[in-house]
Amino acid sequence: MSLPLSDQERRKQISIRGIVGAENVAELKRGFNRHLHFTLVKDRNVATPRDYFFALAHTVRDHLVGRWIRTQQHYYERDPKRIYYLSLEFYMGRTLQNTMINLGLQNACDEAVYQLGLDIEELEEIEEDAGLGNGGLGRLAACFLDSMATLGLAAYGYGIRYEYGIFNQKIRNGWQVEEADDWLRHGNPWEKARPEYMIPVHFYGRVEHTAGGTKWVDTQVVLALPYDTPVPGYMNNTVNTMRLWSARAPNDFNLRDFNVGDYIQAVLDRNLAENISRVLYPNDNVSQGFSLCVMSGTGLRCHVMPCEPFPVCPVPIPLLSQFFEGKELRLKQEYFVVAATLHDIIRRFKASKFGSTESVRTVFDSFPDQVAIQLNDTHPAMAIPELMRVFVDIEKLPWNKAWDITKRTFAYTNHTVLPEALERWPVDLVEKLLPRHLEIIYEINQRHLDHIASLFPNDVDRLRRMSLIEEGGTKRINMAHLCIVGSHAVNGVAKIHSEIVKSEVFRDFAELEPDKFQNKTNGITPRRWLLLCNPGLAEVIAEKIGEDYVRDLSQLAKLHEFVDDDLFIREVAKVKQENKVKFALYLEKEYEVKINPSSMFDVHVKRIHEYKRQLMNCLHIITMYNRIKRDPVKLFVPRTVIIGGKAAPGYHMAKMIIKLINAVAQVVNNDPVVGSKLKVIFLENYRVSLAEKVIPATDLSEQISTAGTEASGTGNMKFMLNGALTIGTMDGANVEMAEEAGEENLFIFGMRVEDVAELDKDGYNAQQYYDRLPELKQAVDQIQSGFFSSDEPDLFRDVVDMLFHHDRFKVFADYEAYVKCQEKVSELYLNSKAWTKMVIRNIAAAGKFSSDRTIKEYARDIWHVEPTDLKIPPPNEPREGAEDRTPNGTAARA
């Protein structure tokens, strides 16, 4: 239970979270009581906490709806170029507080709920996370939607309304156990079903080539039912739409040969169709670092167990068949979302033409001037052949014209440099599921290779490397190559990543079309990742530099003037300590471990994966433990090490890493010699709402992936903005963070990209590091001998074996530099003032990492639209009051 604010504190709140206002409060209370009364009359007499949450959510939603309608009317009348962000993941988290902040209602809602005798924090905790994503890629999409609305772009997010989101992680006896995330079981107050826009999506069937054109016939149909969720911009009355598709079976059962058994089976078969939107696939896209599955002969990787390149794959054939059935469902998901979305996009394109009396557009020449489609990784790549199918087969456009329009419409964002993470679909599977699309992909590939051959005669190897179809064994379609060939722009998500994309991963394509490749460094929305999760820090900053930084994060640079301001230093340190105390209480309640709030909160939260090197952190924990045991009286900077993240259910090594961390924690936390000097917590079920708690309380942010493996990262930016210092490698966006803040203001260690390449060339020998470094040897020996698993001494044999013989990410090579860098961290932490000054320098340098900046770059360089300062009038004001402050009155159009 949070303590109620005093009258003085409530009146002190800063306007970046909205004006209180007696009229606002009274209106909100009336709305709350109206919605609560409706619930009680309908269902029962006694209100539950969940009833109170829904009453508040519906009250806030009432303030959204008028703005939402007015925004869509504005787009219809102005007919700006629309931006369509296609993503299989949108990791939205909770919506209530974010909506209150963006509408300027936070303070008024706080006051209204307080006057009603309720605790707003308790109500906010009732809301389920919308966990429709695995991690960074899905959360980036969510931040982008917030920024597109805040910048006044006519943008739409399109994805799948998964019935079950990313699994709930339970830790039982140290092991990860997955439970279904039934996030819709209590209903979702933010979504609106739109059955009037339901769309048929086709699968299977066959292709007929006739004099009248090509037809895809005898297909199975699944209906796509859209659910719309409003996405409000920050204080500008713009409310955009996220449209998520849900699969529904059609009702036309064939009952001519009716009997009970057939009828029952027909009803049960509906589930097969509706399974398409049943569950989010866990992130298995790096194939868990496993080797090729030899027995299957497919060239695909096995997700059933962690195999090595044995002469014969030990996985039974039935398990392999289950693996491929799962893959078919995933491809169905990918096509389902793009087919429904493109149908919707073309309907909207045809239905509006500003300044014209025509009811529909019938010519597609202006399509790329009105439509920009951004592919968030390769998952929506089937949109390219699908748009070609619509243009050529249905709209009867000539191939060359259709291809020109398609290329000018699409742009592709790459999110990984790991070669095995790039999607490759077996040709046999695509032929079975989408036969017409395979024909189109073959035609695209033939024309593409003809062009390459004309430029590089007799260069067969180049043709092989650049082909969309990978030969050898089972034929596969390289979806990244399809995206590159079918798009007018390709971007990486950090400078270093974009360079690796151009110089290594897609070198041939970049040499052919260098201007196509760009960089768009990722960003985060400051609304959720500062105002919402860290209001204390947001207000301290606003008192110094004003409130405009919320819309223009580059203004944080003004904080450089206050680096030596003793009062400001104390205020920043005070906010951090308050956040730590609050989070320590949460940890004690959830994990029954006494936490010292004055200890350094050393936090490593992200997906569990070998390349993110949670194992290196674990080795450092063991090293610290051994040092304390060796010399208990020596001065030691107390640490609370917090590690969190989910492992893909089929990723054996990641699950072993979680078990190891928990086993080490069990020993460390219960050793009386160690006491409060070192505590280790594994955060169960890490998710957006938990990130909002831990990030503001963090002192040290761990960003320690092997150089050249992390595309960008966005957690690093969130920690930086919230006053944590970073220990990290020169990887992903860490490089640009060091550029912005100065490398001396981050704890940078370890190999650079060129060092890793040199080590690969020479051959990485883990044994050499083990033999040379006594503390590393001791830690590894303890893991291997069963020191942390006395009941099962061989438990971590696979982990140790991997570290010595199959570690692509070279944990031992960076161990020594990492431990030495951690010693520098501890030394600085002893000097609170110097530490906080470095924190302020980092916050002041965080302005670049706003998703507003990222979206402005996408808008100007890729989508060719201009953001706008236009503030659409609220529903209670005349629409003529809209003021367009973009150049030439172009609003959302370039």
Side-chain angles (χ1 to χ4, degrees), residues 336-354:
F336 172 77
V337 68
V338 302
T341 298
L342 286 173
H343 188 287
D344 218 34
I345 290 171
I346 290 169
R347 173 194 58 76
R348 193 176 289 115
F349 169 79
K350 286 182 173 181
S352 60
K353 188 174 181 183
F354 178 54

Side-chain angles (χ1 to χ4, degrees), residues 318-514:
L319 289 180
L320 287 170
S321 66
Q322 290 171 24
F323 163 67
F324 287 115
E325 285 170 13
K327 282 295 177 186
E328 181 173 326
L329 180 58
R330 173 63 170 179
L331 182 56
K332 275 186 176 178
Q333 286 185 340
E334 294 184 357
Y335 178 67
F336 172 77
V337 68
V338 302
T341 298
L342 286 173
H343 188 287
D344 218 34
I345 290 171
I346 290 169
R347 173 194 58 76
R348 193 176 289 115
F349 169 79
K350 286 182 173 181
S352 60
K353 188 174 181 183
F354 178 54
S356 171
T357 57
E358 295 178 29
S359 59
V360 296
R361 285 186 177 97
T362 56
V363 178
F364 286 90
D365 297 52
S366 64
F367 193 79
D369 300 321
Q370 292 296 119
V371 173
I373 302 176
Q374 191 70 37
L375 304 176
N376 192 27
D377 215 332
T378 57
H379 311 138
M382 291 305 295
I384 293 169
E386 171 66 5
L387 188 58
M388 285 297 291
R389 185 187 71 83
V390 172
F391 282 160
V392 173
D393 294 357
I394 299 172
E395 302 295 341
K396 306 301 182 184
L397 269 61
W399 179 280
N400 288 341
K401 184 174 186 178
W403 183 241
D404 176 65
I405 293 170
T406 296
K407 280 191 71 170
R408 288 163 55 208
T409 299
F410 285 108
Y412 159 55
T413 300
N414 172 271
H415 282 277
T416 182
V417 298
L418 299 178
E420 71 273 19
L422 301 171
E423 283 189 304
R424 295 168 166 89
W425 286 109
V427 166
D428 290 347
L429 177 58
V430 178
E431 185 174 35
K432 170 187 169 187
L433 196 65
L434 304 166
R436 177 56 180 147
H437 297 76
L438 181 62
E439 291 185 349
I440 291 169
I441 290 169
Y442 274 149
E443 180 69 19
I444 292 169
N445 192 44
Q446 186 60 57
R447 291 170 182 249
H448 163 63
L449 292 181
D450 289 346
H451 176 59
I452 303 302
S454 69
L455 297 173
F456 304 95
N458 304 318
D459 193 343
V460 177
D461 197 48
R462 183 182 293 269
L463 291 178
R464 178 189 58 76
R465 295 195 307 267
M466 297 185 73
S467 176
L468 308 190
I469 311 298
E470 297 182 351
E471 307 284 351
T474 298
K475 282 187 180 180
R476 295 180 296 166
I477 302 169
N478 187 312
M479 303 308 280
H481 289 185
L482 174 61
C483 287
I484 294 168
V485 171
S487 299
H488 71 274
V490 176
N491 72 279
V493 290
K495 282 182 184 176
I496 186 173
H497 169 231
S498 297
E499 283 304 311
I500 292 171
V501 162
K502 286 192 290 184
S503 63
E504 296 179 28
V505 185
F506 303 126
R507 180 178 174 178
D508 292 320
F509 293 93
E511 287 175 353
L512 185 68
E513 297 180 281

